[in-house]
Amino acid sequence: MAEQDPVPTAQGAGQRLGAPETLGISTLDPGHRPPAMPPGRHVTIRVRMLDDTEELFDISQKASGKVLFDLVCSHMNLIEGDYFGLEFQNQQKMIVWLDHIKPIIKQLRRPKHTILRFAVKFFPPDHAQLLEELTRYLFALQIKQDVSCGRLTCNDSSAALMVSHIIQSEIGDFEESLCRSHLLNNNYIPDQMPLIDKIMEFHSKNIGQTPAESDYQLLEVARRLEMYGIRLHPAKDREGTRLSLAVGHTGVLVFQGHTRINAFNWSKVRKLSFKRKRFLIKLRPDLNSSYQDTLEFLMGSRDCCKIFWKICVEYHAFFRLFEEPKAKPKPVLFTRGSSFRFSGRTQKQVIDYVRESEFKKIPFESRVQQNSRLSPLPSPRHHEVPTDVSGSEVDHSPMCIPSYLTDPITYKVSFSNLSHQKKHEGVVANSPRLSASSGNSHGMMNGQKSLELCSHSPDGRLPSPLTSPLLNDAGSVRTDDEDERFPTDRAYFIAKELLTTERTYVKDLEVVTVSFQSAVGQDEATPDSLKNTVLSTFEPLHKFHTGFLREVEQRLALWEGRSNAHIKGDYQRIGDVMLKNLQGLKPLSANLHRQSEVLLELEKACRASRRLEGLCRDFELQKVCYVPLNVFILRPLHRLIHYKQILERLCKHYPATHVDFRDCRAALADVSEVVELLQGSLIKMENFQKLLELKKDLIGVDNLVVPGREFIRLGCLSKLSGKGLQQRMFFLFNDVILYTSRGMTGTNQFKVHGQLPLNGMTIRESEDEWGVPHAFTLVAERQSVVVAASSLKEMEKWMEDIQGAIEMAKTSNGPSSDILSSNLTDSNKCPEDSLVEAESEDDITAPHASLDKPTPHRGNTMVHVCWHRNTSVSMVDFSVAVENQLSGNLLRKFKNSNGWQKLWVVFTNFSLFFYKSHQDDYPLASLPLLGYSVTIPTDSENIHKDYVFKLHFKSHVYYFRSESEYTFERWMEVIRSATLKSSGARLLNSKESHAH
């Protein structure tokens, strides 16, 4: 048996202040039509809206429930109406949902005396899945009702916090006397008096919060409560214990009182059914479960069972299915069981429709009484929509948008004053402001006479502030941006890039503050100085950026709200959020300067403790550490560069007169100043980090990390020896070249075979001399080495970089070039012929330094990728890759597959990392991009989608689809930075200014 109808809130309480007199919020595109009405005698249906106003709808008796529901949604211009339903009390005095398929006459025996309630039917787990601001507003009204009637139970703190957000949306910023008076006159929760002081304390912290933001925060608190969206249905178990059953997005829930004692996930439920009073849950076989195959609950009657069974069927279909289930064919002779099925769009279909459909937005005109602090809204453009009401003339009156969606200042005009206001102003349609565009003060709009659209208010009251009639298409004005998908502004996608990359950055900070601390920081081998340095450096940054991310998420959620899509103002900007937070980051500048201190402290501690070195190595093998640990440590410095790039794009996009331009320019000046101060140390730290990383990849190196040594390039070359061409890995520094082979140990490391000092070295092309394509000779003081690159381009890059490094070595006092272990130094002094056997891939008797017990090592570093892809990368390539990090959702398709899979993708360190969602702690897979080419699919590949790019390497082909032109361009840009590597000239220019 469903719960009783909730007690309505006090008149005037819980209603949004400052809503316009005329009707509300439009998100309908001009092609959206009211439902066609079947012929037959009409009846008047009374519907109570979520703000407790009532509307009357004239509808044919033969019309189905869906016709009435669609009429209600079109009356409010509600796109995401599938989350809602119409409920009423049937003849058995039980609350049931209006069936969309059955005719109304078969459901409402006395329609004139029945009041239907418009209410939330399906509660999603996260209000961020609600894409329209109107939808979130309606959900907030539902939460307000549930809290008021005691259905949504919670502790006192949560109740007070929710009420504080409610009154913030109604009376605006905290004023003690006004707030206390309002709470004394309006009850929002049962037994409110003892909590008034706590409510006021919370309210005082909401200053500056707009009503729309208050709705968002209210839903954020409510969704975390155990009773959120729960409608209890009384039942008993087999032992006669009183329980309650409920259904949610996850499955069927069992409550004792208001405490959840069990849950049956949809994935574990095989079948739901009922027999007379018994409700049956048949579970899938599970060896680890103590439950029986079928669970039985006794309910009040067969009707109670059927009501609960129906809502379970609908919840399962709405949240679990991709599309509406098809109707089963009717049996010819006998029927068995109920023919009931879910009718309507599933949640996935709703989200896809709102995101992918091209809405032609209808502007609004606000008629809110404005005080002296407020500036009027931009002049609206009127659009009208053709309706399908055959044989009758239809009236269309102008739409309005509530002030809470358009102005951050709350208007102090209560809904309860509207009827009083009406007496002095006359009929709504006669408002001179509304009719200004037509020049007629008697209900004329673009030359069209005003009538009513299928609804009117009972008792002569004004219609609900949630509603807004459709407009007629005649005389409408078209604009260029109406044919584009919303949001169309490039600034929105730039801001969305900030959001997606900030999510990844906060996750990266958690790798250090949470994962590293638990795996390494708690061990006794970790010195206290290292623990303190890491904690004091990263904890404040993590806390700050978590708050920053929350603000950006909230702003983007408001920006995406389609109800205020036409207004280029309050929510459709990001510069103010960035300026505020970048100024808030300034006190943490000392933390940014300590990244080098953390790197040095960690390296020092690892040298002093074999155990700590092993712990760090083991941590890097964990899935959560998807790039080398030192890369995470330098992330805060790199993030500043990303902020600078995002702000540069925004400033380039905006005209100087744009409302967001000044904040973006100020924020850019702030972050540019910090980046300039840190640039010198960042270059040194990147070089230091790369040397530390290479040290882990190499066997046979004693003192690779020394002051003055700079890494320049690493990559694969073929070395000519007595056995012919053999694949080797070469490492170019500013004083020496090392050449290595991949060791035959279990460590995945590279064994150093020799070094070539740059001092006194010469280089020449040798293709004609040896008859080997792309060959060149390195002539050092003690030996000569002939190598061959995989392509002409690779040879040119190597020769250019080596020649530049030779010139630098002549003028700089670099480090000592002898960096090999003592047991390899002698072999290095021998002639080349004596090295042939020692270099052989088959030789596993060569010295292994101190690796008596080989330990695992990362096998996916850039050294290994270059080895397998037979290519090279330079230090400039690494620096560019750091600047070109990107995150976001992409649709992926394989060459021979049909469907597209949605993935969260992170680009960093020359690789794409794939996650199921941005909330995952570690990637499911990765794709190194070195050697890949990125192109646009040709017509012959039959990829008939926009914004698709193709990744190709040998026989491997992947297609990726982005959401907009901007994101497509960004993904192409960053991936090309990994696949099209830098030239030597660019390297030398970068390095010359920092040579020691």
Side-chain angles (χ1 to χ4, degrees), residues 34 43 54 90 94 235 243 253 444 565 576 632 862 907 956:
V43 293
E54 292 183 0
N90 64 10
M94 290 185 289
L243 304 169
L253 312 173
M444 296 294 289
D576 56 332
F632 288 109
M862 273 306 102
F907 171 79
H956 303 284

Side-chain angles (χ1 to χ4, degrees), residues 98 101 125 140 200 213 236 322 361-362 390-391 465 595 603 773 890 940-941 989:
L98 187 71
I101 297 177
M200 293 176 64
E213 292 168 339
K236 295 180 182 179
F322 287 157
K361 310 306 295 181
I362 304 176
S390 52
Q595 309 305 312
E603 170 63 11
L890 287 175
S940 61
E941 294 172 272
N989 290 337

Side-chain angles (χ1 to χ4, degrees), residues 624-684:
V624 71
C625 191
Y626 64 98
V627 293
L629 174 60
N630 290 337
V631 174
F632 288 109
I633 293 175
L634 292 184
R635 280 285 197 250
L637 300 179
H638 298 149
R639 188 60 182 154
L640 292 174
I641 298 175
H642 303 156
Y643 292 148
K644 182 172 179 283
Q645 293 173 334
I646 287 169
L647 286 164
E648 285 173 343
R649 292 189 198 104
L650 284 169
C651 289
K652 184 178 180 181
H653 167 70
Y654 285 138
T657 55
H658 194 280
V659 66
D660 204 22
F661 178 77
R662 181 178 296 179
D663 286 339
C664 287
R665 187 172 58 181
L668 177 59
D670 285 346
V671 75
S672 298
E673 180 182 352
V674 179
V675 169
E676 189 175 348
L677 289 173
L678 294 172
Q679 188 66 34
S681 62
L682 176 58
I683 292 173
K684 292 178 182 177

